[in-house]
Structure formats: C-alpha cells, structure tokens
Amino acid sequence: FQDMLGLLFAGHETSSHAISSTLFFLSKYPEAAEKLSKESELKTFLNKERLQEYDYLYYVTKEGLRIDPPASDTLPYLVVKDTTICGVPLSKDTIINVNILPQHYNPNEWHEPKKFIPERFDPESEFYTKPGGENQPRIPLSCIPFSFGLRNCP
C-alpha cells in the first residue's frame, strides 16, 4: 500500500505540479513562451527520439523545477548520534528535514533568482554561471527540485 501511495504521489502529483507551474511562468513571462514557440516551429513533430533537439524546452523545464520545485523539503533524516551541524546541536533520534528553497533562490548562485530565466541552464548564456562576472560554475546542489540530490531525477 505504501509503495502504491508513493508511486501515485511521486509520479502524479509532482508531474502535475511541475507542468502547471511551468505553464503559469510561461504565461507570466511571454518572451520565454515566444522563444519556446519559435523553437517548436523550427522543428518537426516532438517525439521521444527527437526530444534531445529541443534545447529551450529543456531549459524551460529545468527553470520551472528550480523556481517552483515539486518538493520544498527533503525526506526526513534520523540523527543517529548526537551531533552539531552549523552550530546547531542535534540529539540522537531527532528527525530533521532540510528546506531546499533557499538554495534555489540564493543570489550568490543565481542571477535574479526570483525571475523566470530559462537561459540560466544554457551553457552559452551569461546566466549560466554564478553572478559576479567571474564565470564561476554554480555549486552542484544549488538546484535539487526533487530534494534528493544529483542522481535522483534528471
């Protein structure tokens, strides 16, 4: 039963959230919607084999997941021994969750983090690296929309 609930929630709710949220941001930022529309006009019918050709669709999807992720907290962690993290003491058997939203809106990692800018995932874009003009890459965990890190979902 738990596996079925997990599948329904993880597969259905997160997908519908991501799609509706991205559509909302495309309506709020018509220049991004126009760019996406032009990309689809230039290509033939979208199918699984040709998906890799749709660069801007990839950027829009990644930005939608960054700006409004389906999960805002990690799964719970159990503290297995008394420890201190960032100066905060945690007792053994404490359950903690980590809020990932601050990473997605960190102005040290993202140019104008509250704006919907799909180009921040385009390696050729000025928005691809950290702000500050030094061409430094963002830290790998600056965007983890499903709260599990780099290897969970592409």
Side-chain angles (χ1 to χ4, degrees):
F1 180 72
Q2 291 293 345
D3 290 339
M4 185 61 104
L5 283 178
L7 177 64
L8 286 172
F9 176 74
H12 177 71
E13 180 60 28
T14 57
S15 297
S16 61
H17 176 96
I19 291 167
S20 60
S21 176
T22 301
L23 289 173
F24 166 78
F25 282 104
L26 285 171
S27 70
K28 191 172 176 184
Y29 291 85
E31 64 281 0
E34 181 63 29
K35 206 169 181 181
L36 183 60
S37 178
K38 283 186 180 176
E39 179 182 63
S40 65
E41 288 173 7
L42 298 173
K43 312 265 188 206
T44 58
F45 182 72
L46 175 63
N47 58 34
K48 183 177 160 186
E49 290 76 29
R50 303 201 67 161
L51 193 57
Q52 296 294 93
E53 298 173 16
Y54 288 78
D55 294 330
Y56 200 70
L57 176 60
Y58 174 76
Y59 308 149
V60 164
T61 302
K62 296 287 277 187
E63 179 65 352
L65 292 171
R66 181 201 68 85
I67 202 164
D68 190 17
S72 60
D73 293 322
T74 63
L75 291 175
Y77 293 98
L78 177 66
V79 178
V80 294
K81 66 179 185 175
D82 290 348
T83 191
T84 300
I85 298 176
C86 297
V88 177
L90 298 169
S91 302
K92 181 182 180 199
D93 296 327
T94 300
I95 296 174
I96 62 170
N97 288 3
V98 178
N99 184 330
I100 64 168
L101 286 178
Q103 294 165 217
H104 290 208
Y105 287 89
N106 183 346
N108 296 320
E109 296 292 323
W110 304 98
H111 297 266
E112 302 178 78
K114 293 181 182 177
K115 283 183 138 183
F116 184 78
I117 306 172
E119 290 78 9
R120 62 178 95 240
F121 293 96
D122 177 359
E124 304 296 318
S125 170
E126 64 184 293
F127 298 103
Y128 188 71
T129 56
K130 287 184 177 187
E134 298 170 14
N135 274 347
Q136 289 185 312
R138 291 185 297 270
I139 60 170
L141 295 177
S142 63
C143 185
I144 52 171
F146 292 96
S147 78
F148 295 102
L150 297 174
R151 291 186 169 77
N152 185 34
C153 294

